[in-house]
Every structure is written in structure tokens, then in C-alpha cells.
Amino acid sequence: MESRDDNYYDVRAQDVKLEDITSSAHNAEILRGLRDGETAWAAKCLDIGKEFNDDYEDDDEEEEEQKGFVVREGDDCGWLGYFIGRNKHVEHLSIQRMSEEQIRVLMKGVKDNRSIQFVRISNKVRGDVIIDSLAPFIRHNVNLKELCVWSVDLGLDGAHSLAGGTQETRRKNYD
């Protein structure tokens, strides 16, 4: 998975063919809604992950629609993060079952978002990956109200760093 700088996305955002950077028409519609800032669609609560349950079937559009953005081969997490980062309407973000590299690339763009109030991460990855990926987002998003992290091996140092980052953000809220 290639990590690109913000300028790459800024230059191409309005002209990119969303179908070329996603694995399904449903994922392309989610990206379109994020890019175009639509407010009447389901992305105010956005679930992102490799799969959402063991019974998931790729050809069941209704199931996919209810479950959110399903990350598969061919999905560009950089574009997804970029569009989330610039969207002003996403309030809830749930991330699950993604690789460490996918999380890094996704959060590089998400860090610019200021509308997200609730984040839920359930991933079996190293805690330092989560801390490093979340830190810029936590520091800059003063609207974050709740952060749930589970199935992550944070360790004592990681938990301390995460708590320190959330404290820094809360101080910004009151300054």
C-alpha cells in the first residue's frame, strides 16, 4: 500500500474516477458522498473494515449497504482517509479488522477531520501503531467526545501515551 502526500490527493480529488480506486460500486458511493459533502446519507456513522461478520457474502448488496465501507483488495485507504479528513459531517467512525499499514494510511488523511465525535477501533494490532496513527487526529480534533479502543495490545506505555494525548486535546477545549 502506497502512502502519498496530501498534495497528491488535493490535485486529483475532483477528477479521480472513484470506481478505479475501490473494489465495489457501494464503496465508490460512500467515497462520492464523503467527497461531495452530502449530509443526507449514512456516512455520518461510518464503519470501515475488512469484514463485519462471518456470514458476510460479497454479492449481497443489501448486507454491504448496512455494514459500511468494506476494505478489500483494490480499495485505496489513502483516498478514503483523505475524503473523511475533509468531510464536515462524519460524526462516528468505527474501524475494525484492518492491517497496520491500512490504518496508518487511513489515519494520515483522517487526522484533518474536525467533525468526528466518536471513534471506535477494534483491531488486533500493536498498540504503538494505534498510538502513532491516532495521535495527530486526537491532538487536533477538539470535538472528539469518546474514543473506544479494544482488542489492541496497548501496554502500559501505550495507554499512558494515549491518555496524555486525550488530556492535551481536552486542555485545548478549555483554553
Side-chain angles (χ1 to χ4, degrees):
M1 179 163 297
E2 188 177 340
S3 181
R4 302 175 180 115
D5 65 7
D6 289 341
N7 187 47
Y8 174 88
Y9 298 107
D10 288 335
V11 170
R12 294 165 178 80
Q14 288 306 313
D15 299 324
V16 67
K17 292 182 181 176
L18 300 175
E19 293 77 12
D20 292 344
I21 59 172
T22 61
S23 64
S24 71
H26 175 74
N27 284 357
E29 283 303 311
I30 290 175
L31 289 179
R32 187 171 288 104
L34 287 166
R35 180 189 66 191
D36 298 344
E38 294 176 16
T39 59
W41 62 290
K44 284 190 172 190
C45 297
L46 186 57
D47 290 329
I48 304 168
K50 284 188 180 175
E51 56 188 67
F52 296 100
N53 64 43
D54 295 335
D55 300 327
Y56 180 78
E57 296 180 23
D58 286 347
D59 59 351
D60 188 348
E61 283 295 319
E62 185 174 296
E63 178 75 12
E64 186 173 271
E65 191 169 317
Q66 293 173 356
K67 297 299 182 184
F69 193 100
V70 180
V71 178
R72 297 187 189 97
E73 211 46 51
D75 285 312
D76 190 322
C77 291
W79 278 111
L80 178 60
Y82 175 83
F83 289 133
I84 293 171
R86 275 131 186 92
N87 187 280
K88 294 177 175 35
H89 305 289
V90 176
E91 296 173 359
H92 298 256
L93 183 62
S94 175
I95 301 170
Q96 56 186 329
R97 298 182 184 175
M98 292 175 64
S99 73
E100 292 178 359
E101 185 60 20
Q102 288 171 326
I103 291 172
R104 278 190 192 104
V105 171
L106 175 74
M107 292 308 294
K108 185 175 178 184
V110 171
K111 75 178 180 335
D112 297 322
N113 183 287
R114 301 297 180 268
S115 64
I116 295 174
Q117 299 174 29
F118 305 94
V119 176
R120 182 181 67 197
I121 297 179
S122 174
N123 246 64
K124 294 192 186 244
V125 297
R126 293 186 333 264
D128 59 332
V129 171
I130 296 296
I131 302 296
D132 293 345
S133 299
L134 280 176
F137 169 74
I138 291 171
R139 275 195 299 275
H140 299 293
N141 186 335
V142 296
N143 294 312
L144 184 64
K145 295 178 181 176
E146 184 176 307
L147 174 64
C148 297
V149 180
W150 70 93
S151 295
V152 175
D153 182 18
L154 284 179
L156 189 55
D157 289 341
H160 187 267
S161 295
L162 189 57
T166 56
Q167 249 182 347
E168 181 181 328
T169 300
R170 296 303 154 234
R171 279 194 297 272
K172 286 180 183 179
N173 276 339
Y174 299 114
D175 289 345

